[in-house]
Amino acid sequence: MNFLSTNKLGAISLVFGPTLAFVMFLIQPGGLLLDPAPLSDPAGLVGAWQANAAMVKITAGLIMLGLALMAFGMYEVHVAHRGSRGDGLNMAGLALISVGVIAWMAVQSLAVTMASTFPSQAAAVQGDALSSPWSAIYIIRISLLLSGGVAVSLGLLLFALSVLIDSRGTVFNMLTWLAALAGLVGVIGWTVAIFESGLLDSASSVGRGMYVIYVVWLITLGIRLAKEEEREEG
């Protein structure tokens, strides 16, 4: 068995990449577990980041690594099934996912910047967030987060549909249908957050919540990719 083959590395990336990004997101300051703050509260977010600057830098770096591994793994799934019946949807989904991953990487980079640059300005945020020196960075960051969410969710929806067209096996198909449904719900959630600022926190939470389903499905997809190579070698 060639553990350095692109298929094998892609399978490993699909198992560990999304999982790493998800775990780091959970423990990133300003997120769900450590000093949580809603997206609509820039003062709370900046305060959490600057109070835990080292943790922000570590988790942001690992989130970016996890997202990169996820994108690479999905690309290897596309390569392994190039020319299949779902190839068009597969490529379209991969392109959207790539755009979304790049946007989310920029989001993490901006969080690092806001956690480590001009720490004395944190107090200014507590007064009027939109008139602070952080306002432009905050607006850019949240714009990239929301647009990246739409791109990743729509990409995963198309990618899952392409896998359904080309797959066999009832258990895996059920998980893939669930992933496709999660992608649809994610698109709706992130889109609502873009068009209705009053629902920013709740709608984005719906979009983020779908990532749990994505992680489970991508892990099974990675295991399936590894088994496909083993069958070819056998």
Side-chain angles (χ1 to χ4, degrees), residues 154-174:
L154 181 57
L156 280 163
L157 169 60
L158 297 179
F159 202 91
L161 291 175
S162 75
V163 172
L164 277 171
I165 293 173
D166 192 43
S167 69
R168 302 288 187 275
T170 55
V171 175
F172 181 72
N173 276 0
M174 289 174 61

Side-chain angles (χ1 to χ4, degrees), residues 1-4 8 229-230 233:
M1 183 183 299
N2 183 6
F3 287 98
L4 294 180
K8 189 65 67 176
E229 184 178 52
E230 290 174 359
E233 291 176 349

Side-chain angles (χ1 to χ4, degrees), residues 4-65:
L4 294 180
S5 69
T6 53
N7 272 15
K8 189 65 67 176
L9 289 175
I12 294 172
S13 296
L14 277 178
V15 172
F16 289 102
T19 306
L20 176 63
F22 178 64
V23 172
M24 290 301 105
F25 170 75
L26 288 178
I27 65 176
Q28 186 174 59
L32 296 179
L33 300 180
L34 182 60
D35 288 346
L39 288 179
S40 59
D41 180 14
L45 284 171
V46 174
W49 292 335
Q50 296 197 340
N52 306 275
M55 190 66 172
V56 170
K57 294 174 184 179
I58 293 170
T59 54
L62 292 175
I63 287 172
M64 288 189 280
L65 174 61

Side-chain angles (χ1 to χ4, degrees), residues 28-118:
Q28 186 174 59
L32 296 179
L33 300 180
L34 182 60
D35 288 346
L39 288 179
S40 59
D41 180 14
L45 284 171
V46 174
W49 292 335
Q50 296 197 340
N52 306 275
M55 190 66 172
V56 170
K57 294 174 184 179
I58 293 170
T59 54
L62 292 175
I63 287 172
M64 288 189 280
L65 174 61
L67 290 173
L69 290 173
M70 181 185 78
F72 169 70
M74 298 188 78
Y75 172 74
E76 287 307 317
V77 172
H78 167 71
V79 170
H81 295 87
R82 186 173 291 163
S84 64
R85 293 177 297 170
D87 190 44
L89 282 176
N90 193 282
M91 191 63 219
L94 182 61
L96 285 166
I97 291 167
S98 299
V99 170
V101 164
I102 292 171
W104 279 356
M105 285 183 169
V107 166
Q108 294 303 316
S109 296
L110 291 174
V112 170
T113 299
M114 297 177 79
S116 58
T117 306
F118 309 122

